mmCIF file of all heavy atoms in Angstrom:
data_model
loop_
_atom_site.group_PDB
_atom_site.id
_atom_site.type_symbol
_atom_site.label_atom_id
_atom_site.label_comp_id
_atom_site.label_asym_id
_atom_site.label_seq_id
_atom_site.Cartn_x
_atom_site.Cartn_y
_atom_site.Cartn_z
ATOM 1 N N LEU A 1 44.052 44.358 73.392
ATOM 2 C CA LEU A 1 44.871 43.184 73.124
ATOM 3 C C LEU A 1 43.973 42.009 72.767
ATOM 4 O O LEU A 1 42.855 41.891 73.292
ATOM 5 C CB LEU A 1 45.718 42.826 74.343
ATOM 6 C CG LEU A 1 46.584 43.940 74.937
ATOM 7 C CD1 LEU A 1 47.398 43.379 76.103
ATOM 8 C CD2 LEU A 1 47.478 44.561 73.894
ATOM 9 N N SER A 2 44.481 41.151 71.902
ATOM 10 C CA SER A 2 43.770 39.937 71.517
ATOM 11 C C SER A 2 44.672 38.738 71.736
ATOM 12 O O SER A 2 45.893 38.829 71.574
ATOM 13 C CB SER A 2 43.363 39.989 70.047
ATOM 14 O OG SER A 2 42.518 41.079 69.773
ATOM 15 N N CYS A 3 44.068 37.628 72.070
ATOM 16 C CA CYS A 3 44.804 36.376 72.241
ATOM 17 C C CYS A 3 44.000 35.264 71.585
ATOM 18 O O CYS A 3 42.910 34.934 72.055
ATOM 19 C CB CYS A 3 45.042 36.070 73.702
ATOM 20 S SG CYS A 3 45.841 34.471 73.992
ATOM 21 N N ALA A 4 44.538 34.715 70.516
ATOM 22 C CA ALA A 4 43.873 33.642 69.796
ATOM 23 C C ALA A 4 44.488 32.308 70.179
ATOM 24 O O ALA A 4 45.716 32.154 70.149
ATOM 25 C CB ALA A 4 43.989 33.875 68.290
ATOM 26 N N ALA A 5 43.636 31.365 70.540
ATOM 27 C CA ALA A 5 44.089 30.035 70.935
ATOM 28 C C ALA A 5 43.827 29.031 69.822
ATOM 29 O O ALA A 5 42.814 29.118 69.122
ATOM 30 C CB ALA A 5 43.385 29.595 72.211
ATOM 31 N N SER A 6 44.722 28.090 69.663
ATOM 32 C CA SER A 6 44.540 27.020 68.692
ATOM 33 C C SER A 6 45.187 25.752 69.219
ATOM 34 O O SER A 6 45.940 25.779 70.195
ATOM 35 C CB SER A 6 45.146 27.402 67.335
ATOM 36 O OG SER A 6 46.533 27.626 67.449
ATOM 37 N N GLY A 7 44.887 24.642 68.589
ATOM 38 C CA GLY A 7 45.429 23.358 69.021
ATOM 39 C C GLY A 7 44.424 22.615 69.885
ATOM 40 O O GLY A 7 43.227 22.672 69.655
ATOM 41 N N SER A 8 44.904 21.963 70.910
ATOM 42 C CA SER A 8 44.064 21.129 71.775
ATOM 43 C C SER A 8 43.375 21.978 72.836
ATOM 44 O O SER A 8 43.637 21.855 74.038
ATOM 45 C CB SER A 8 44.918 20.051 72.436
ATOM 46 O OG SER A 8 45.553 19.255 71.453
ATOM 47 N N ILE A 9 42.489 22.832 72.391
ATOM 48 C CA ILE A 9 41.889 23.817 73.285
ATOM 49 C C ILE A 9 40.680 23.297 74.040
ATOM 50 O O ILE A 9 40.148 23.988 74.902
ATOM 51 C CB ILE A 9 41.505 25.089 72.506
ATOM 52 C CG1 ILE A 9 40.506 24.744 71.406
ATOM 53 C CG2 ILE A 9 42.744 25.760 71.944
ATOM 54 C CD1 ILE A 9 39.993 25.951 70.657
ATOM 55 N N PHE A 10 40.230 22.081 73.736
ATOM 56 C CA PHE A 10 39.004 21.579 74.355
ATOM 57 C C PHE A 10 39.180 21.319 75.845
ATOM 58 O O PHE A 10 38.215 21.251 76.592
ATOM 59 C CB PHE A 10 38.547 20.300 73.659
ATOM 60 C CG PHE A 10 39.613 19.242 73.592
ATOM 61 C CD1 PHE A 10 39.777 18.341 74.636
ATOM 62 C CD2 PHE A 10 40.468 19.160 72.509
ATOM 63 C CE1 PHE A 10 40.762 17.378 74.581
ATOM 64 C CE2 PHE A 10 41.456 18.207 72.444
ATOM 65 C CZ PHE A 10 41.608 17.315 73.490
ATOM 66 N N SER A 11 40.439 21.176 76.314
ATOM 67 C CA SER A 11 40.661 20.826 77.711
ATOM 68 C C SER A 11 41.290 21.937 78.537
ATOM 69 O O SER A 11 41.663 21.717 79.697
ATOM 70 C CB SER A 11 41.554 19.589 77.791
ATOM 71 O OG SER A 11 42.814 19.867 77.205
ATOM 72 N N ILE A 12 41.427 23.104 77.978
ATOM 73 C CA ILE A 12 42.129 24.165 78.701
ATOM 74 C C ILE A 12 41.189 24.933 79.625
ATOM 75 O O ILE A 12 39.977 24.966 79.423
ATOM 76 C CB ILE A 12 42.820 25.159 77.740
ATOM 77 C CG1 ILE A 12 41.796 25.829 76.803
ATOM 78 C CG2 ILE A 12 43.912 24.457 76.951
ATOM 79 C CD1 ILE A 12 42.399 26.913 75.936
ATOM 80 N N ASN A 13 41.803 25.572 80.614
ATOM 81 C CA ASN A 13 41.074 26.460 81.505
ATOM 82 C C ASN A 13 40.818 27.794 80.810
ATOM 83 O O ASN A 13 41.343 28.054 79.715
ATOM 84 C CB ASN A 13 41.896 26.697 82.772
ATOM 85 C CG ASN A 13 42.204 25.405 83.488
ATOM 86 O OD1 ASN A 13 41.375 24.507 83.567
ATOM 87 N ND2 ASN A 13 43.423 25.287 83.998
ATOM 88 N N ALA A 14 40.053 28.636 81.472
ATOM 89 C CA ALA A 14 39.818 29.967 80.919
ATOM 90 C C ALA A 14 41.142 30.717 80.789
ATOM 91 O O ALA A 14 42.037 30.583 81.629
ATOM 92 C CB ALA A 14 38.874 30.747 81.821
ATOM 93 N N MET A 15 41.274 31.465 79.723
ATOM 94 C CA MET A 15 42.502 32.221 79.516
ATOM 95 C C MET A 15 42.521 33.460 80.393
ATOM 96 O O MET A 15 41.481 34.037 80.713
ATOM 97 C CB MET A 15 42.638 32.610 78.047
ATOM 98 C CG MET A 15 43.078 31.449 77.169
ATOM 99 S SD MET A 15 43.603 31.966 75.549
ATOM 100 C CE MET A 15 42.029 32.288 74.773
ATOM 101 N N GLY A 16 43.710 33.856 80.757
ATOM 102 C CA GLY A 16 43.877 35.074 81.531
ATOM 103 C C GLY A 16 44.947 35.944 80.914
ATOM 104 O O GLY A 16 45.720 35.511 80.067
ATOM 105 N N TRP A 17 44.976 37.172 81.342
ATOM 106 C CA TRP A 17 46.007 38.116 80.913
ATOM 107 C C TRP A 17 46.948 38.410 82.075
ATOM 108 O O TRP A 17 46.499 38.620 83.201
ATOM 109 C CB TRP A 17 45.368 39.420 80.422
ATOM 110 C CG TRP A 17 44.739 39.290 79.075
ATOM 111 C CD1 TRP A 17 43.432 39.077 78.795
ATOM 112 C CD2 TRP A 17 45.419 39.341 77.819
ATOM 113 N NE1 TRP A 17 43.243 38.992 77.431
ATOM 114 C CE2 TRP A 17 44.447 39.155 76.814
ATOM 115 C CE3 TRP A 17 46.747 39.533 77.436
ATOM 116 C CZ2 TRP A 17 44.755 39.150 75.447
ATOM 117 C CZ3 TRP A 17 47.059 39.527 76.088
ATOM 118 C CH2 TRP A 17 46.072 39.341 75.112
ATOM 119 N N TYR A 18 48.225 38.425 81.759
ATOM 120 C CA TYR A 18 49.273 38.664 82.734
ATOM 121 C C TYR A 18 50.201 39.730 82.161
ATOM 122 O O TYR A 18 50.172 40.014 80.959
ATOM 123 C CB TYR A 18 50.080 37.386 82.989
ATOM 124 C CG TYR A 18 49.257 36.243 83.506
ATOM 125 C CD1 TYR A 18 48.409 35.527 82.663
ATOM 126 C CD2 TYR A 18 49.307 35.860 84.841
ATOM 127 C CE1 TYR A 18 47.633 34.479 83.137
ATOM 128 C CE2 TYR A 18 48.545 34.804 85.320
ATOM 129 C CZ TYR A 18 47.711 34.125 84.454
ATOM 130 O OH TYR A 18 46.949 33.087 84.933
ATOM 131 N N ARG A 19 51.020 40.303 83.027
ATOM 132 C CA ARG A 19 52.006 41.261 82.526
ATOM 133 C C ARG A 19 53.281 41.166 83.356
ATOM 134 O O ARG A 19 53.254 40.766 84.514
ATOM 135 C CB ARG A 19 51.464 42.685 82.546
ATOM 136 C CG ARG A 19 51.201 43.255 83.940
ATOM 137 C CD ARG A 19 50.510 44.608 83.837
ATOM 138 N NE ARG A 19 50.228 45.175 85.149
ATOM 139 C CZ ARG A 19 49.510 46.284 85.323
ATOM 140 N NH1 ARG A 19 48.996 46.929 84.277
ATOM 141 N NH2 ARG A 19 49.299 46.738 86.545
ATOM 142 N N GLN A 20 54.362 41.556 82.695
ATOM 143 C CA GLN A 20 55.657 41.559 83.368
ATOM 144 C C GLN A 20 56.391 42.832 83.003
ATOM 145 O O GLN A 20 56.741 43.043 81.825
ATOM 146 C CB GLN A 20 56.483 40.335 82.980
ATOM 147 C CG GLN A 20 57.763 40.196 83.773
ATOM 148 C CD GLN A 20 58.386 38.824 83.621
ATOM 149 O OE1 GLN A 20 58.059 38.055 82.714
ATOM 150 N NE2 GLN A 20 59.293 38.483 84.523
ATOM 151 N N ALA A 21 56.601 43.668 83.995
ATOM 152 C CA ALA A 21 57.352 44.903 83.814
ATOM 153 C C ALA A 21 58.834 44.618 84.037
ATOM 154 O O ALA A 21 59.188 43.638 84.703
ATOM 155 C CB ALA A 21 56.851 45.963 84.781
ATOM 156 N N PRO A 22 59.714 45.443 83.503
ATOM 157 C CA PRO A 22 61.154 45.223 83.681
ATOM 158 C C PRO A 22 61.533 45.131 85.159
ATOM 159 O O PRO A 22 61.131 45.972 85.969
ATOM 160 C CB PRO A 22 61.783 46.462 83.034
ATOM 161 C CG PRO A 22 60.785 46.906 82.026
ATOM 162 C CD PRO A 22 59.449 46.608 82.640
ATOM 163 N N GLY A 23 62.254 44.087 85.492
ATOM 164 C CA GLY A 23 62.719 43.915 86.866
ATOM 165 C C GLY A 23 61.675 43.398 87.826
ATOM 166 O O GLY A 23 61.938 43.303 89.035
ATOM 167 N N LYS A 24 60.496 43.073 87.309
ATOM 168 C CA LYS A 24 59.418 42.601 88.186
ATOM 169 C C LYS A 24 58.952 41.216 87.765
ATOM 170 O O LYS A 24 59.212 40.768 86.651
ATOM 171 C CB LYS A 24 58.248 43.585 88.172
ATOM 172 C CG LYS A 24 58.579 44.943 88.754
ATOM 173 C CD LYS A 24 57.333 45.790 88.881
ATOM 174 C CE LYS A 24 57.643 47.126 89.538
ATOM 175 N NZ LYS A 24 56.422 47.953 89.707
ATOM 176 N N SER A 25 58.254 40.558 88.662
ATOM 177 C CA SER A 25 57.703 39.240 88.358
ATOM 178 C C SER A 25 56.445 39.380 87.515
ATOM 179 O O SER A 25 55.799 40.424 87.498
ATOM 180 C CB SER A 25 57.367 38.508 89.664
ATOM 181 O OG SER A 25 58.519 38.361 90.467
ATOM 182 N N ARG A 26 56.127 38.312 86.823
ATOM 183 C CA ARG A 26 54.885 38.296 86.057
ATOM 184 C C ARG A 26 53.708 38.299 87.016
ATOM 185 O O ARG A 26 53.700 37.560 88.009
ATOM 186 C CB ARG A 26 54.837 37.066 85.154
ATOM 187 C CG ARG A 26 53.741 37.079 84.121
ATOM 188 C CD ARG A 26 53.893 35.913 83.153
ATOM 189 N NE ARG A 26 55.161 35.984 82.426
ATOM 190 C CZ ARG A 26 55.473 35.154 81.440
ATOM 191 N NH1 ARG A 26 54.620 34.218 81.051
ATOM 192 N NH2 ARG A 26 56.635 35.255 80.840
ATOM 193 N N GLU A 27 52.701 39.108 86.714
ATOM 194 C CA GLU A 27 51.546 39.203 87.592
ATOM 195 C C GLU A 27 50.254 39.033 86.793
ATOM 196 O O GLU A 27 50.174 39.392 85.616
ATOM 197 C CB GLU A 27 51.507 40.558 88.316
ATOM 198 C CG GLU A 27 51.323 41.753 87.407
ATOM 199 C CD GLU A 27 51.042 43.042 88.166
ATOM 200 O OE1 GLU A 27 50.822 43.010 89.388
ATOM 201 O OE2 GLU A 27 51.045 44.107 87.499
ATOM 202 N N LEU A 28 49.258 38.490 87.472
ATOM 203 C CA LEU A 28 47.939 38.361 86.873
ATOM 204 C C LEU A 28 47.306 39.741 86.750
ATOM 205 O O LEU A 28 47.355 40.542 87.681
ATOM 206 C CB LEU A 28 47.049 37.459 87.734
ATOM 207 C CG LEU A 28 45.600 37.345 87.312
ATOM 208 C CD1 LEU A 28 45.474 36.628 85.978
ATOM 209 C CD2 LEU A 28 44.803 36.618 88.400
ATOM 210 N N VAL A 29 46.693 39.989 85.605
ATOM 211 C CA VAL A 29 45.974 41.246 85.380
ATOM 212 C C VAL A 29 44.470 41.002 85.396
ATOM 213 O O VAL A 29 43.718 41.688 86.083
ATOM 214 C CB VAL A 29 46.394 41.872 84.038
ATOM 215 C CG1 VAL A 29 45.559 43.114 83.747
ATOM 216 C CG2 VAL A 29 47.878 42.206 84.035
ATOM 217 N N ALA A 30 44.026 40.026 84.630
ATOM 218 C CA ALA A 30 42.589 39.755 84.527
ATOM 219 C C ALA A 30 42.386 38.328 84.068
ATOM 220 O O ALA A 30 43.185 37.793 83.295
ATOM 221 C CB ALA A 30 41.923 40.723 83.556
ATOM 222 N N THR A 31 41.310 37.730 84.512
ATOM 223 C CA THR A 31 40.967 36.393 84.077
ATOM 224 C C THR A 31 39.478 36.169 84.328
ATOM 225 O O THR A 31 38.750 37.104 84.686
ATOM 226 C CB THR A 31 41.819 35.341 84.812
ATOM 227 O OG1 THR A 31 41.587 34.054 84.226
ATOM 228 C CG2 THR A 31 41.492 35.291 86.293
ATOM 229 N N PHE A 32 39.031 34.958 84.101
ATOM 230 C CA PHE A 32 37.660 34.579 84.404
ATOM 231 C C PHE A 32 37.687 33.573 85.544
ATOM 232 O O PHE A 32 38.528 32.684 85.596
ATOM 233 C CB PHE A 32 36.979 33.964 83.184
ATOM 234 C CG PHE A 32 36.731 34.940 82.072
ATOM 235 C CD1 PHE A 32 37.606 35.027 81.009
ATOM 236 C CD2 PHE A 32 35.632 35.776 82.099
ATOM 237 C CE1 PHE A 32 37.394 35.924 79.987
ATOM 238 C CE2 PHE A 32 35.403 36.687 81.073
ATOM 239 C CZ PHE A 32 36.290 36.762 80.014
ATOM 240 N N THR A 33 36.746 33.715 86.455
ATOM 241 C CA THR A 33 36.631 32.747 87.541
ATOM 242 C C THR A 33 36.041 31.451 87.004
ATOM 243 O O THR A 33 35.598 31.381 85.855
ATOM 244 C CB THR A 33 35.715 33.286 88.643
ATOM 245 O OG1 THR A 33 34.374 33.378 88.126
ATOM 246 C CG2 THR A 33 36.165 34.665 89.106
ATOM 247 N N SER A 34 36.014 30.440 87.848
ATOM 248 C CA SER A 34 35.431 29.158 87.432
ATOM 249 C C SER A 34 33.957 29.309 87.111
ATOM 250 O O SER A 34 33.398 28.529 86.345
ATOM 251 C CB SER A 34 35.627 28.114 88.527
ATOM 252 O OG SER A 34 35.052 28.562 89.744
ATOM 253 N N GLY A 35 33.327 30.319 87.662
ATOM 254 C CA GLY A 35 31.926 30.583 87.355
ATOM 255 C C GLY A 35 31.728 31.456 86.133
ATOM 256 O O GLY A 35 30.599 31.795 85.778
ATOM 257 N N GLY A 36 32.828 31.838 85.489
ATOM 258 C CA GLY A 36 32.737 32.609 84.259
ATOM 259 C C GLY A 36 32.700 34.108 84.447
ATOM 260 O O GLY A 36 32.544 34.854 83.478
ATOM 261 N N ARG A 37 32.874 34.566 85.676
ATOM 262 C CA ARG A 37 32.839 35.997 85.927
ATOM 263 C C ARG A 37 34.243 36.572 85.785
ATOM 264 O O ARG A 37 35.231 35.916 86.126
ATOM 265 C CB ARG A 37 32.291 36.277 87.316
ATOM 266 C CG ARG A 37 30.897 35.728 87.524
ATOM 267 C CD ARG A 37 30.325 36.143 88.857
ATOM 268 N NE ARG A 37 30.031 37.577 88.880
ATOM 269 C CZ ARG A 37 29.410 38.173 89.901
ATOM 270 N NH1 ARG A 37 29.071 37.481 90.963
ATOM 271 N NH2 ARG A 37 29.163 39.458 89.857
ATOM 272 N N PRO A 38 34.370 37.794 85.306
ATOM 273 C CA PRO A 38 35.687 38.402 85.180
ATOM 274 C C PRO A 38 36.274 38.754 86.545
ATOM 275 O O PRO A 38 35.541 39.096 87.470
ATOM 276 C CB PRO A 38 35.426 39.660 84.352
ATOM 277 C CG PRO A 38 33.986 39.972 84.559
ATOM 278 C CD PRO A 38 33.294 38.680 84.773
ATOM 279 N N PHE A 39 37.574 38.631 86.625
ATOM 280 C CA PHE A 39 38.312 38.999 87.828
ATOM 281 C C PHE A 39 39.450 39.918 87.408
ATOM 282 O O PHE A 39 40.133 39.659 86.418
ATOM 283 C CB PHE A 39 38.875 37.761 88.524
ATOM 284 C CG PHE A 39 39.852 38.101 89.618
ATOM 285 C CD1 PHE A 39 39.398 38.414 90.892
ATOM 286 C CD2 PHE A 39 41.214 38.144 89.366
ATOM 287 C CE1 PHE A 39 40.297 38.761 91.896
ATOM 288 C CE2 PHE A 39 42.116 38.488 90.360
ATOM 289 C CZ PHE A 39 41.651 38.795 91.626
ATOM 290 N N TYR A 40 39.678 40.977 88.184
ATOM 291 C CA TYR A 40 40.731 41.940 87.877
ATOM 292 C C TYR A 40 41.590 42.188 89.107
ATOM 293 O O TYR A 40 41.092 42.232 90.235
ATOM 294 C CB TYR A 40 40.123 43.279 87.431
ATOM 295 C CG TYR A 40 39.200 43.175 86.249
ATOM 296 C CD1 TYR A 40 37.830 43.071 86.420
ATOM 297 C CD2 TYR A 40 39.705 43.171 84.951
ATOM 298 C CE1 TYR A 40 36.976 42.962 85.341
ATOM 299 C CE2 TYR A 40 38.858 43.069 83.856
ATOM 300 C CZ TYR A 40 37.493 42.958 84.066
ATOM 301 O OH TYR A 40 36.665 42.842 82.984
ATOM 302 N N VAL A 41 42.868 42.386 88.858
ATOM 303 C CA VAL A 41 43.723 42.836 89.935
ATOM 304 C C VAL A 41 43.335 44.276 90.259
ATOM 305 O O VAL A 41 42.867 45.020 89.381
ATOM 306 C CB VAL A 41 45.210 42.723 89.525
ATOM 307 C CG1 VAL A 41 45.543 43.701 88.421
ATOM 308 C CG2 VAL A 41 46.107 42.886 90.723
#
């Protein structure tokens, strides 16, 4: 999967990936920590 960001991106936090299965809440899948390291569920 790819996610391209545009617009006022200079002030945003690190992007993360989330998913939502039918009948379930959206959940975090992966992101970057404040130190730049990857985090995974």
